[in-house]
Amino acid sequence: MHDISGFGKCSLTVALPVVSATGVECACIPTALLSTHTGEFTGWTRRDLTDQMLPIARHWADCGIEFDGIYSGYLASPEQELVLEEVIGTLAGPDTLVICDPAMADNGVYYSGFDDGMTEAFRRLCARADVITPNVTEAALLSGAEFRPAPHSRGYIDRLFDGLERHAGRFIAITGVHPAEGVIGTVVRDRQTGEERSAMSAALPGMFYGTGDIFASAFSALLVRGASVGDALDAAAGLVRESIERCYERGAPRPYGVDFEGALPDYVRRVQEIFGGKA
Ligand code: PXL
């Protein structure tokens, strides 16, 4: 569940291809329809699709369709979260992995039109999820910690993880962590074992849109397919890294999104290695 931003690769226009490339069938419930995403573009159109969500979920349930995973991202409004919980209640079985990407803010600011009501809504949804994938800004909002720009000390990241304890299921993946100048990546904590893993790479300058959605889509699909958290983290982070590098080298307009299409072949090869050659 995510919006369709018709142009500017993010949300469903990356989730569908990335989940499919992972070898996982992707059904979707759009939360909203926009002409573009809301970062840097102006004058975008937007239609809230809240009223479609439960009828779609009920139809699927009537058809007897079962789901291994439910992954959600961008919501049209805080009120929509209550509907999303009902959708999860309608579609999730005891073994369905629930993944919440609380897509609402970046670089210390809310996305256009959002405020603290969205943090409250995502606190409820994240508490219902097995896996959450906030960026540093979203982790700060959810945990009630202050947002700090880079570099992020070990102590600050610990504070974010600790603050998220009440608002998370088993796995917390914090994206966009800058442990030092010029280094960026994702840190995952397994709350059951206390184990932590990270995937870091060289940071390129500027803003890259849709990368959180690409990470969460790949990470979710890999976990749903049964990859270990370490393999899922490395492969999802690798896809994001290569998508960014290719976009940077080509000098593409940043709001248009990153070149994940060019990075998919390598990603599919990595997925095949994880699952022993099976596509
Ligand atoms: O990539 C996150 C995202 C998703 N959907 C919409 C957005 C954004 C970020 O700006 O505007 C509509």
Side-chain angles (χ1 to χ4, degrees), residues 36-103:
T36 64
H37 62 73
T38 63
E40 284 189 61
F41 289 106
T42 53
W44 28 270
T45 67
R46 183 176 185 277
R47 174 158 300 172
D48 185 323
L49 296 175
T50 306
D51 67 347
Q52 294 299 302
M53 292 172 63
L54 263 176
I56 292 173
R58 286 186 184 132
H59 179 217
W60 289 351
D62 289 345
C63 292
I65 303 166
E66 292 176 0
F67 293 88
D68 298 321
I70 298 177
Y71 152 52
S72 68
Y74 182 96
L75 305 186
S77 67
E79 295 73 37
Q80 194 179 62
E81 187 275 335
L82 298 171
V83 176
L84 208 132
E85 282 197 60
E86 274 195 79
V87 169
I88 294 171
T90 304
L91 297 178
D95 298 324
T96 305
L97 192 72
V98 178
I99 303 115
C100 172
D101 182 19

Side-chain angles (χ1 to χ4, degrees), residues 2-3 5 10-11 34 36-39 74 103 111 209-213:
H2 232 312
D3 71 282
S5 290
C10 70
S11 40
L34 294 89
T36 64
H37 62 73
T38 63
Y74 182 96
Y111 294 150
Y209 290 94
T211 52
D213 301 340

Side-chain angles (χ1 to χ4, degrees), residues 5-234:
S5 290
F7 186 84
K9 296 172 277 184
C10 70
S11 40
L12 276 182
T13 61
V14 301
L16 278 158
V18 169
V19 171
S20 301
T22 313
V24 173
E25 182 179 344
C26 186
C28 63
I29 302 183
T31 56
L33 172 64
L34 294 89
S35 51
T36 64
H37 62 73
T38 63
E40 284 189 61
F41 289 106
T42 53
W44 28 270
T45 67
R46 183 176 185 277
R47 174 158 300 172
D48 185 323
L49 296 175
T50 306
D51 67 347
Q52 294 299 302
M53 292 172 63
L54 263 176
I56 292 173
R58 286 186 184 132
H59 179 217
W60 289 351
D62 289 345
C63 292
I65 303 166
E66 292 176 0
F67 293 88
D68 298 321
I70 298 177
Y71 152 52
S72 68
Y74 182 96
L75 305 186
S77 67
E79 295 73 37
Q80 194 179 62
E81 187 275 335
L82 298 171
V83 176
L84 208 132
E85 282 197 60
E86 274 195 79
V87 169
I88 294 171
T90 304
L91 297 178
D95 298 324
T96 305
L97 192 72
V98 178
I99 303 115
C100 172
D101 182 19
M104 61 175 162
D106 205 356
N107 289 314
V109 287
Y110 280 111
Y111 294 150
S112 182
F114 292 170
D115 59 21
D116 291 345
M118 202 51 119
T119 296
E120 283 307 316
F122 273 127
R123 280 183 181 152
R124 289 194 301 270
L125 194 60
C126 287
R128 171 80 179 74
D130 302 300
V131 182
I132 67 167
T133 59
N135 60 33
V136 169
T137 305
E138 292 154 351
L141 287 166
L142 293 169
S143 66
E146 86 283 8
F147 168 72
R148 284 201 196 159
H152 304 121
S153 67
R154 181 66 244 184
Y156 180 60
I157 298 305
D158 279 341
R159 288 232 316 279
L160 295 182
F161 275 126
D162 293 346
L164 285 169
E165 285 289 309
R166 280 177 301 131
H167 312 295
R170 177 157 176 196
F171 296 103
I172 303 171
I174 304 182
T175 62
V177 174
H178 278 272
E181 195 68 44
V183 181
I184 189 165
T186 298
V187 186
V188 182
R189 181 185 281 187
D190 179 342
R191 292 184 51 224
Q192 210 165 68
T193 63
E195 232 180 307
E196 262 184 39
R197 289 179 159 272
S198 63
M200 293 291 154
S201 48
L204 292 170
M207 178 73 192
F208 294 94
Y209 290 94
T211 52
D213 301 340
I214 293 171
F215 176 84
S217 301
F219 193 60
S220 303
L222 285 158
L223 292 178
V224 164
R225 225 189 129 170
S228 69
V229 168
D231 282 345
L233 172 63
D234 290 345

